[in-house]
Amino acid sequence: MKRLGQATTAVEHQIEAALKAIPAWRSLTVGYAPVGGGISNANWRVEVEGASTAYFVKVPGQGTEMFVDRRTAHDASLKAANTGYGAPVFAFLEGLGVEVFEFMEGWKASSNRDFLQHDVRHNALRALKAFNDQPPLIQTKTVFDMIDEHQRQVAALSAPTPPDHVWLCRQFERARTALQSSGIDLKPCMNDTLAGNFMLNDQRAVRLVDFEYASNNDPHYELALWFGEMFFTPDMESALIEEYFGRVTPQTLARVAVNKALADLKWSTWAMVQRAVSQIDFDFYKYGVWKHMRARAIMHDSRWELWLRQA
């Protein structure tokens, strides 16, 4: 663990600049060490002289301002903390886009394997629903807005697109029309429900972390994205849908299915942009190609036309 003044790399100078911007810490001994796992930002464990807890500090990665509204992310972090399912928030350095949380000692990032356990799945669902049921966030951005934004970014960057880009866009527009025609109930959503954003303790309790992509959005999308990330079986999905909405209907199943395709299209397009701008050591091309393949698989499913009609 390094102390303030010992930075030798660009990312270390970034974290030191953030730590020096916190007035309460300026006269104290402060140490920092990297925390692995992020693909968009630099994450750090920070220990402060005399503090009863360590801190988790998130420093924005280059280019993330293209995707992330830091004020909305902070709003979501506070609302998640209010539910008891989020990490306590210590500070927000708005000018730097840096969030500071109490470090979650005794908690670990979950894996897809953890979600094979019934209790973990349903505890996570309750955490998501508690966040979704919070008052609206300061920003509304639906999955349609997200994909539109990424398409504009791809064009501006002259980033590569798949050979069937026009066909994928046509299916996207058909899905937009189907879902908007029946109306969308907007609620606060994480919009980033990969396994690592669910923290677990030894009692299999769940906390939610990482609200950078949060916005008011359709909760069917929230569930669809989560289901797709976890590779749940149809029976698992039905049980979770029933607990979340109180019942399972053909329309709900259709809306979740269509949103699964949109989720994969959203993140595949995001990956095209990230490949052009990010300095993070991550294979965005491979990730994007895989997401495009999954979107196609859903759109080529024999039930796709039925789902569009039922949604």
Side-chain angles (χ1 to χ4, degrees), residues 118-192:
H118 178 277
D119 288 352
V120 172
R121 287 196 303 278
H122 286 264
N123 287 343
L125 181 83
R126 292 168 198 131
L128 275 178
K129 191 171 190 309
F131 176 67
N132 298 155
D133 287 342
Q134 288 294 294
L137 298 173
I138 60 175
Q139 182 186 42
T140 293
K141 182 184 279 190
T142 67
V143 63
F144 315 118
D145 300 325
M146 297 175 202
I147 295 174
D148 286 340
E149 179 180 63
H150 293 337
Q151 298 283 26
R152 291 192 297 271
Q153 291 163 344
V154 165
L157 292 164
S158 299
T161 57
D164 59 348
H165 179 70
V166 172
W167 181 83
L168 288 166
C169 290
R170 185 162 61 248
Q171 299 308 313
F172 163 54
E173 292 300 338
R174 296 181 70 215
R176 187 206 305 257
T177 298
L179 293 169
Q180 289 185 333
S181 294
S182 57
I184 295 175
D185 183 18
L186 297 176
K187 292 190 173 186
C189 291
M190 285 185 73
N191 300 321
D192 193 15

Side-chain angles (χ1 to χ4, degrees), residues 62-96:
Q62 180 173 320
T64 55
E65 69 278 0
M66 298 178 69
F67 315 110
V68 179
D69 182 301
R70 298 289 168 182
R71 290 180 63 249
T72 303
H74 179 57
D75 182 30
S77 295
L78 292 174
K79 286 183 166 66
N82 288 340
T83 69
Y85 288 111
V89 181
F90 176 76
F92 175 49
L93 308 177
E94 185 171 352
L96 299 174

Side-chain angles (χ1 to χ4, degrees), residues 95-108:
L96 299 174
V98 171
E99 284 189 290
V100 183
F101 304 88
E102 292 185 15
F103 201 91
M104 294 174 59
E105 303 285 4
W107 297 75
K108 69 176 184 70

